[in-house]
Amino acid sequence: MIMKILKVNDVDLAYDSFGNENDEAIILIAGLGTQMIRWTDSFCRILAARGFRVIRFDNRDVGCSTHFSHYPTLDF
């Protein structure tokens, strides 16, 4: 897999995809602060083998996506 970067309004989101880009897409969204690798390659390949284009991404502030370290940490 080759990771790609989507640039929107000075924010980079790292993502990759599996399967044919013309197939119906499934976007895998992991929880807050989770990298795309939470969704394993083998799981993504299984979904792609069933005829889906599978897209996973690094949330903001993790992995290869933009980090906003100049802002204070959120208090949940």
Side-chain angles (χ1 to χ4, degrees):
M1 256 330 88
I2 296 174
M3 183 187 59
K4 300 172 184 117
I5 301 289
L6 175 66
K7 295 180 179 284
V8 179
N9 297 330
D10 296 325
V11 175
D12 293 350
L13 288 178
Y15 75 97
D16 61 16
S17 64
F18 298 76
N20 186 318
E21 61 183 49
N22 294 318
D23 289 340
E24 186 173 357
I26 294 176
I27 300 176
L28 301 176
I29 304 172
L32 180 68
T34 304
Q35 288 182 267
M36 71 174 115
I37 57 174
R38 160 64 182 91
W39 306 105
T40 63
D41 287 0
S42 59
F43 177 69
C44 294
R45 283 191 197 100
I46 289 169
L47 293 174
R50 294 184 180 188
F52 296 100
R53 178 182 183 203
V54 181
I55 303 164
R56 64 183 183 174
F57 63 95
D58 280 341
N59 282 311
R60 189 192 77 191
D61 289 325
V62 297
C64 294
S65 290
T66 296
H67 290 248
F68 288 93
S69 55
H70 54 284
Y71 289 104
T73 303
L74 294 175
D75 180 11
F76 294 105

